[in-house]
Amino acid sequence: DRLVYGEIVDGGTLDKRQKSLVALVTLAAIQTLDEVKEHTEAALRCGVSPVEIREALYQCAPYIGFPRTESALRLVNEVFAAHGIALPLGTVTEDSRFADGLAVQKGIFGEAIDKMHAATPQGQKDIMVNFLSAFCFGDVYTRKGLDLKMRELLTFTVISALGGCEAQVKAHVQGNANMGNTRQNLIDALAQMLPYIGF
C-alpha cells in the first residue's frame, strides 16, 4: 500500500489522469484482468472520462492484439454499464485511413518513416507500410478522445510492459520526445508500472 498508493501515486510528473491510464493499459498488456474493473472505477473517480478510458484501451490493440484488448474492454464495459455510461464508436473512414495514418506517423517520427519504408524488404511491405500506417496510425492514432502526446505515452507503456520490444521502445522514446513528453515523464510512467510488471 505504501509503495503503490503512497510513494508512487504521490510522486512524479504525471497527473492522476495520466497515472490512471498508464496503470490501466499496463494491466491490459500483461493481462492482469482481475484488477481492470477496480482500476476503471479508480480512473473514473480521478476524473478520467469514459471516452479517454476506452481510447486508452483501443491504443493497446496494435501492440497486444485484439483478443487481449477485447478481454480488458469487456471488463471496462461492465463498469460503464453499471454506471449507465454509453459511448459512440469509430471516427475513421476506409478512404482516408492510410493517408491520414501516414501523416500522423510522419508527424511523430518525421523522415525516419520514409527511410523505414525504403529499407523494408519487398515481402514485408504490407506489414511495415500498409498495415502499420493504415491500422495502427490511421485507425487508432487518428481517433478523437486522446491527443497524440498521451497516445505516445500509452504506447511506450504498453510495449514496455510487454518486454522483448526494445527496438520499439527505443523508437517510441523518440516519438514521445517529439510529442513533448519528457525523459522524466517516461521514467515516471515506468515507476507507475513497477507494482504490476516488477522491477
Side-chain angles (χ1 to χ4, degrees):
D1 283 349
R2 183 176 65 243
L3 177 68
V4 177
Y5 301 110
E7 296 165 340
I8 292 176
V9 166
D10 290 339
T13 58
L14 303 181
D15 62 29
K16 288 182 179 180
R17 175 181 146 270
Q18 292 168 315
K19 288 177 182 178
S20 292
L21 293 177
V22 164
L24 200 53
V25 300
T26 299
L27 294 170
I30 63 173
Q31 290 293 278
T32 307
L33 299 177
D34 291 344
E35 306 229 357
V36 168
K37 282 185 171 183
E38 178 184 329
H39 279 272
T40 302
E41 292 279 2
L44 290 169
R45 284 192 304 275
C46 287
V48 182
S49 76
V51 169
E52 290 172 319
I53 292 169
R54 286 282 290 268
E55 288 300 326
L57 287 172
Y58 294 156
Q59 189 67 30
C60 295
Y63 307 101
I64 68 172
F66 292 119
R68 286 191 252 178
T69 302
E70 186 179 18
S71 293
L73 274 170
R74 215 175 289 121
L75 297 170
V76 167
N77 289 342
E78 288 178 21
V79 173
F80 288 174
H83 287 274
I85 299 168
L87 294 174
L89 298 174
T91 58
V92 296
T93 68
E94 289 300 317
D95 295 334
S96 67
R97 59 194 287 265
F98 177 81
D100 291 347
L102 185 59
V104 168
Q105 198 176 14
K106 286 184 175 184
I108 295 170
F109 298 105
E111 298 306 314
I113 297 304
D114 291 330
K115 291 176 185 173
M116 182 186 78
H117 287 181
T120 300
Q122 191 57 39
Q124 297 173 26
K125 293 264 186 209
D126 276 345
I127 293 172
M128 294 300 294
V129 178
N130 299 331
F131 300 159
L132 186 62
S133 293
F135 172 64
C136 181
F137 290 92
D139 291 343
V140 178
Y141 271 79
T142 62
R143 293 178 60 86
K144 309 298 182 224
L146 292 175
D147 62 19
L148 290 178
K149 184 177 180 181
M150 189 66 205
R151 287 187 184 277
E152 266 303 291
L153 182 66
L154 295 176
T155 297
F156 168 81
T157 299
V158 170
I159 58 181
S160 295
L162 288 174
C165 305
E166 288 76 16
Q168 291 82 6
V169 170
K170 185 176 180 180
H172 284 280
V173 165
Q174 185 60 56
N176 270 275
N178 294 346
M179 291 295 99
N181 287 317
T182 67
R183 178 179 190 270
Q184 195 60 50
N185 293 150
L186 300 183
I187 291 169
D188 291 340
L190 290 172
Q192 186 68 38
M193 297 164 63
L194 287 180
Y196 313 109
I197 66 171
F199 285 80

